[in-house]
Amino acid sequence: MADYDVVIVGASFAGLSCARAIARAGLEVLVLERKFRPDDLIHTTGILVKEAHEEWRAPEELVREIHRVRVYGPSLRSAAVERDDYFFLATDTGNLLGFLQEEARDCGVDVRLGIPFHDAARRNGQWHIDGADICCRYLVGADGARSQVAKSLDLDRNTRYLKGVEYAFEPCTREELSLHCFVDPRFARGYMGWVLPGVGVTQVGMAYHPSRAVDLLEFVKHIDPIFDLSDRKVLEKRGGIIPIGGLLQKFFTEGAMLVGDAAGMVSPLTAGGIHRAYRFGRLAGIHIAQHLLANGPDPGQSLRNLYPKRHWQHAARWAFDRLPVGSITDVALRTPRMFRRVVGKIFFDRMNWPE
């Protein structure tokens, strides 16, 4: 039986960040991933904020820097905000995940693809992974919003979420280099639609409440006068769920924890999760290593103490779900100066958000 200090289920942003931190501390780490290739079944837009890029820098050829956000109301009236000192990055997500996996391997992490997780049992202070002939001292679930690790270990599971769908089109010729955000409940009730000039593609998607049926092609038709997408070929389709309920109450137990989407580590307001995956994956790895090497405090409780509360984001989510945000956006766009200040706070002033 193969014996590891830590087994991590899920080879995406949170799991690999956690694995790299643990391996750097000198422990033996195994990452299990059910997908056979990094670019199989991608469930994220792959947008990085500046802070995420600072956590783990991506190669220049895999990213495209964007300094402007343009927000549209249902009428397609819009206003743009731009900052020289802040940026978003569109990414070649599949190849970025492949890069992260290789970087983790270079740090000593054993990454194995094509191995699904089914169950685990704790015996004599160790976790025994069902069907894999593997045991470990600590188990981490970084396996997404519908975590099988959470189910197996009887931890809390995400119950509030948005659904997301995205098409990658051939690059369109009329796109402005901006993150285009469409606040329109007719198409994306509960969040928004977007157009992103990506790496070799134009990404078009929306996130919405699961109670609503949506038609992405109708959204594309609505915005076609701006982007001329109707004659562009669809190269890839993506979809998934985005947890928006905040950090789960019971996301850890003796010898195990959840990180990333599995633990609800996603902003309930912006639905952004990659920066939190990087950061709290790394912090989880540091505390797990301290716990195993020096009998440090419980890593799950340490991570809970570090995780930002930001109750105002949950209040903003409540308002976004219940108020006529499309009409409000169109009215606000008639006073673009004030509107730009609000948009700038949400998108560009992240480091100064109140706790």
Side-chain angles (χ1 to χ4, degrees), residues 117-165:
F117 173 88
H118 299 291
D119 202 356
R122 189 161 176 81
R123 298 192 295 271
N124 300 321
Q126 287 195 319
W127 291 102
H128 294 257
I129 310 301
D130 183 45
D133 200 28
I134 293 167
C135 64
C136 62
R137 299 163 64 194
Y138 204 94
L139 178 62
V140 177
D143 51 338
R146 291 190 173 115
S147 170
Q148 181 62 27
V149 175
K151 182 179 179 180
S152 173
L153 275 55
D154 196 28
L155 297 173
D156 284 351
R157 305 172 74 189
N158 294 291
T159 57
R160 293 188 60 210
Y161 55 87
L162 300 172
K163 283 187 176 180
V165 59

Side-chain angles (χ1 to χ4, degrees), residues 47-333:
I47 300 173
L48 303 181
V49 295
K50 177 173 181 273
E51 296 84 2
H53 189 55
E54 290 168 349
E55 280 277 348
W56 196 337
R57 291 191 173 272
E60 289 185 5
E61 65 270 18
L62 299 183
V63 298
R64 188 178 189 186
E65 198 167 296
I66 298 171
H67 289 263
R68 186 188 301 116
V69 173
R70 181 172 293 278
V71 178
Y72 301 76
S75 67
L76 297 183
R77 182 195 296 266
S78 71
V81 180
E82 187 170 359
R83 284 265 293 271
D84 292 334
D85 61 344
Y86 196 90
F87 57 82
F88 299 86
L89 292 175
T91 67
D92 179 347
T93 312
N95 284 321
L96 174 60
L97 289 171
F99 164 78
L100 299 179
Q101 290 176 15
E102 289 307 311
E103 286 252 307
R105 288 189 175 102
D106 289 343
C107 291
V109 178
D110 184 358
V111 180
R112 300 188 193 178
L113 305 181
I115 302 179
F117 173 88
H118 299 291
D119 202 356
R122 189 161 176 81
R123 298 192 295 271
N124 300 321
Q126 287 195 319
W127 291 102
H128 294 257
I129 310 301
D130 183 45
D133 200 28
I134 293 167
C135 64
C136 62
R137 299 163 64 194
Y138 204 94
L139 178 62
V140 177
D143 51 338
R146 291 190 173 115
S147 170
Q148 181 62 27
V149 175
K151 182 179 179 180
S152 173
L153 275 55
D154 196 28
L155 297 173
D156 284 351
R157 305 172 74 189
N158 294 291
T159 57
R160 293 188 60 210
Y161 55 87
L162 300 172
K163 283 187 176 180
V165 59
E166 182 180 82
Y167 287 1
F169 286 83
E170 292 175 324
C172 67
T173 56
R174 287 176 55 185
E175 65 185 2
E176 170 190 281
L177 187 56
S178 301
L179 171 57
H180 301 269
C181 302
F182 294 82
V183 182
D184 191 340
R186 293 174 300 172
F187 299 103
R189 185 172 183 83
Y191 193 44
M192 65 182 183
W194 60 84
V195 175
L196 177 68
V199 181
V201 297
T202 295
Q203 297 171 230
V204 183
M206 60 176 68
Y208 52 93
H209 278 304
S211 59
R212 291 288 296 270
V214 299
D215 188 338
L216 183 60
L217 294 180
E218 278 298 312
F219 173 64
V220 170
K221 183 178 179 181
H222 175 63
I223 64 175
D224 196 57
I226 303 171
F227 299 101
D228 277 345
L229 286 164
S230 58
D231 61 347
R232 303 285 92 186
K233 183 188 297 184
V234 176
L235 304 177
E236 183 185 359
K237 296 181 181 180
R238 303 176 181 180
I241 65 171
I242 308 163
I244 55 168
L247 182 66
L248 299 176
Q249 181 64 30
K250 186 183 177 184
F251 73 92
F252 63 93
T253 187
E254 183 181 4
M257 75 158 68
L258 307 174
V259 294
D261 284 14
M265 294 177 177
V266 177
S267 167
L269 175 58
T270 67
I274 297 179
H275 176 221
R276 296 192 185 199
Y278 275 156
R279 182 185 179 198
F280 291 101
R282 173 177 58 83
L283 291 173
I286 290 170
H287 286 280
I288 290 168
Q290 290 174 348
H291 177 69
L292 296 179
L293 290 170
N295 198 28
D298 185 280
Q301 188 57 55
S302 298
L303 204 63
R304 182 188 296 284
N305 294 339
L306 292 168
Y307 196 78
K309 305 299 188 293
R310 291 182 179 160
H311 299 295
W312 70 273
Q313 287 191 352
H314 291 274
R317 162 52 52 190
W318 182 94
F320 204 97
D321 288 344
R322 290 164 175 79
L323 298 180
V325 291
S327 300
I328 292 171
T329 301
D330 262 341
V331 170
L333 281 164

